[in-house]
Amino acid sequence: MRFKAFIVMAFAATMLSACQQEDVLDVSRLHGKPELRLTNATLSRMKALNMDRNSPIMIRIFKEEGVMEVWKANTSNRYALLKSYQICAWSGMLGPKTKEGDRQAPEGFYDITKAQMNPNSRYYLAFNIGYPNAYDRSLNRGGTNLMVHGACSSSGCYSMTDAQVQEIFALANDAFAGGQEAFQIQALPFRMTAENMARHKASPNIDFWKMLKVGYDQFEISHRPPVVNVCNHAYVFNQVAAPGQSFNPSGACPATSTPPEMAQAYAAYQAKYNTDYAAAEKKYAGYIWNEPTEAQRKAAVADLKKKSTDLAFAPTGNGLQAGKLVKIEEFQAAEQQRAQTEADKALAAAAIKAVEKTKRAPVPQANPLAPAAQPTTASVASNVPENRPFWKLWN
């Protein structure tokens, strides 16, 4: 039984590189995939928002809330929020994906072409996010098969219910049919408001998020997906390279300019943001946001389910519900205690490893308690004086 359990665990460990998670339900074995279609409610909302069925779409993801939004262009080519979906499962914590197997759902700006859509996925329906993109590759970040898919299970992906991903797939297919070559996904840690940025200012990811925020802000201003480029290992948004120059993800940025309308609107937006941020800093002075781990989010879900049997909860939880504000002094004390515990664990592990190594390869040593060697007959005989009787040697 122990050997069998070991084999199962080893197999599960090999599945962590992408979305091949051990608890996935293969829904394709249970029922066929229906023809892609939109609900009457979605079609009615399109009509109310002056959207053509085949107009372009864009997706925004907010990890902390566990929300996926589909935005769609109206007849004025401005994007409006068409529908929000609760993400069924996402793994890891806030922050970018950096390597294969880290269980992190990606953050950044990604383009989805028709070639990335997989209607035959074993996770019902799926499309590849496009990780790693040019920015990720410039930092030598890796990972494969990062998806938005059904089946409600994730190991680095954004997983939806089958009904949700079916409608998202239908919206994408309609946009491709209308001529959209690729739709943009903005995968973000949270809504990048002054309040949220101040709450997360102590995060080691804050500089990365400030970079993403420029693209977030420009979409908030224009309601059009920003034009995204990468240079000097950084995202740049809505920038026009000087004639004869281009963007190199790993090279120096070219001379650029910002369209005047965007520059003016962004300056006004940033001025209000700075005022709001100063107020938020005062609000959170002396406190720090203790971001929950995936395990803590799942525990919060279990606790909520005990209190209410009428509500459905995403299995990997909501970061806002599981996280909490704590005083900086309390946070530092807890971190010091955790660090000490981790150090103790490391020392214990090193000691155990040293003992095991000794057991595996013992080194023969002389026994300090062994009796002294006795002289042999030959050695005694060699010291016997000539012509002396044997019995008189010790007299």
Side-chain angles (χ1 to χ4, degrees), residues 30-202:
L30 303 180
H31 56 78
K33 297 175 183 177
E35 181 181 352
L36 298 177
R37 60 184 180 82
L38 301 176
T39 64
N40 291 333
T42 300
L43 292 170
S44 296
R45 181 162 174 79
M46 277 187 197
K47 185 176 181 180
L49 294 174
N50 296 318
M51 296 171 175
D52 183 83
R53 180 161 181 166
N54 296 120
S55 69
I57 65 168
M58 189 201 81
I59 289 178
R60 289 204 303 184
I61 291 171
F62 299 109
K63 274 185 177 179
E64 189 170 55
E65 293 179 33
V67 169
M68 181 178 292
E69 298 178 341
V70 176
W71 292 65
K72 193 168 177 66
N74 59 22
T75 53
S76 301
N77 200 29
R78 297 275 179 171
Y79 283 66
L81 178 60
L82 176 63
K83 197 159 185 178
S84 293
Y85 303 91
Q86 192 70 36
I87 296 173
C88 196
W90 64 275
S91 60
M93 297 176 66
L94 301 188
K97 182 176 184 64
T98 61
K99 61 184 178 181
E100 185 87 61
D102 63 6
R103 288 184 55 82
Q104 280 289 105
E107 291 177 9
F109 288 72
Y110 299 89
D111 289 329
I112 314 302
T113 65
K114 193 171 184 178
Q116 290 165 241
M117 310 295 287
N118 182 9
N120 300 313
S121 169
R122 67 184 292 261
Y123 302 98
Y124 188 64
L125 296 167
F127 57 86
N128 194 304
I129 292 174
Y131 179 94
N133 61 14
Y135 168 79
D136 302 317
R137 291 193 299 272
S138 77
L139 297 175
N140 296 316
R141 293 177 174 176
T144 54
N145 299 328
L146 280 304
M147 306 279 182
V148 171
H149 61 71
C152 193
S153 179
S154 174
S155 180
C157 298
Y158 294 103
S159 184
M160 316 300 290
T161 67
D162 293 347
Q164 289 171 336
V165 78
Q166 192 272 144
E167 185 165 63
I168 294 168
F169 232 76
L171 289 166
N173 276 4
D174 286 346
F176 288 136
Q180 186 174 20
E181 294 182 359
F183 65 87
Q184 186 177 95
I185 284 188
Q186 301 175 9
L188 304 168
F190 42 75
R191 298 182 192 276
M192 307 189 101
T193 62
E195 180 95 2
N196 285 340
M197 293 296 286
R199 180 165 55 89
H200 286 282
K201 74 174 186 176

Side-chain angles (χ1 to χ4, degrees), residues 304-325:
L304 288 170
K305 285 183 176 179
K306 292 177 182 178
K307 299 175 182 177
S308 176
T309 57
D310 298 329
L311 299 176
F313 298 98
T316 55
N318 181 311
L320 289 171
Q321 295 169 335
K324 61 181 179 179
L325 281 172

